Amino acid sequence: MYMKNPEGIESKSFAIIKEELGDKVSLFSEEELPLVQRVIHTTADFEYADLIRFHPQAISVIRESLAVGEEIYADTSMIATAINRRKLAALDSQVHQYVHDEDVWAMAKAEGITRSMAAIEKAMKNDKITIYAIGNAPTAIYRLKELIEATGKRPKAIVGAPVGFVGAAESKEVLMEMDIPYISIQGRKGGSPVVAAIFNAILKGIEAQ
């Protein structure tokens, strides 16, 4: 016989992950551990326990912001789709994704920049967006930093984990040096599924409160 109940499968998976993490469990706070487990559950990659980085205020800031209906900007459709919209809606929140908008395409072409950079510019003009979820484009992090410095407008928190070989690791180092609460993944690994997993773990934590 095999397990059919989704809650049972998830519960057993998390128990296996916690057991295999062993002594590393003690490296994470009570709030951080479920996020680490969720990322490993999503990727089946235990190296994330060594690579994930938490600003000490990041989880609480994101929870507090979403709980009062503040909103998320995601740099990919995958993140926007994968974050649990039902739970966001229950908080009167939502996730935005602008990369495919016609005005963003036009801005990117006119200014000779990536669509991810142009989309960040559009997101920064929306005062409801206070949390940024970046899983694909290193240029989104660099542009966000430039706009923060130019305008003084600051996100409440950034979950930044671009994946890849060109600029990904470096952009995350830049993110972790910014004076803004962050959750990130050191090195080349990361991606949209990882970022979405982090947000879904945070939403599950809010729901449990």
Side-chain angles (χ1 to χ4, degrees), residues 132-145:
Y132 285 75
I134 301 173
N136 179 63
T139 57
I141 291 179
Y142 287 121
R143 188 59 180 144
L144 187 54
K145 181 177 186 291

Side-chain angles (χ1 to χ4, degrees), residues 84-94:
N84 191 313
R85 296 193 181 202
R86 177 185 60 79
K87 291 181 180 179
L88 279 179
L91 300 170
D92 197 26
S93 181
Q94 61 180 312

Side-chain angles (χ1 to χ4, degrees), residues 57-77:
Q57 296 175 335
I59 296 174
S60 61
V61 165
I62 294 171
R63 281 180 174 176
E64 290 164 7
S65 298
L66 295 180
V68 296
E70 294 176 12
E71 297 174 355
I72 302 166
Y73 175 72
D75 77 325
T76 68
S77 298

Side-chain angles (χ1 to χ4, degrees), residues 66-176:
L66 295 180
V68 296
E70 294 176 12
E71 297 174 355
I72 302 166
Y73 175 72
D75 77 325
T76 68
S77 298
M78 183 181 294
I79 295 172
T81 301
I83 293 177
N84 191 313
R85 296 193 181 202
R86 177 185 60 79
K87 291 181 180 179
L88 279 179
L91 300 170
D92 197 26
S93 181
Q94 61 180 312
V95 57
H96 301 269
Q97 205 285 316
Y98 297 146
V99 169
H100 303 291
D101 290 4
E102 289 186 9
D103 57 338
V104 167
W105 280 74
M107 183 192 304
K109 184 176 181 180
E111 298 183 14
I113 59 177
T114 68
R115 284 184 287 130
S116 292
M117 295 172 72
I120 286 290
E121 292 193 26
K122 182 172 180 176
M124 284 285 278
K125 295 174 184 176
N126 185 337
D127 290 336
K128 292 184 177 181
I129 295 171
T130 64
I131 309 296
Y132 285 75
I134 301 173
N136 179 63
T139 57
I141 291 179
Y142 287 121
R143 188 59 180 144
L144 187 54
K145 181 177 186 291
E146 290 169 353
L147 291 171
I148 291 166
E149 292 173 347
T151 67
K153 184 177 180 181
R154 298 167 60 81
K156 296 283 186 69
I158 304 167
V159 177
V163 60
F165 298 94
V166 180
E170 294 84 354
S171 71
K172 287 178 278 189
E173 292 298 327
V174 167
L175 169 61
M176 290 185 277

Side-chain angles (χ1 to χ4, degrees), residues 22-65:
D23 293 340
K24 289 183 180 178
V25 168
S26 64
L27 299 175
F28 303 103
S29 71
E30 184 179 349
E31 292 76 24
E32 293 168 351
L33 184 58
L35 275 67
V36 176
Q37 289 177 288
R38 180 68 61 181
V39 169
I40 294 171
H41 181 259
T42 298
T43 62
D45 187 346
F46 279 85
E47 190 178 6
Y48 278 103
D50 300 314
L51 300 178
I52 196 164
R53 298 290 184 269
F54 294 97
H55 183 284
Q57 296 175 335
I59 296 174
S60 61
V61 165
I62 294 171
R63 281 180 174 176
E64 290 164 7
S65 298

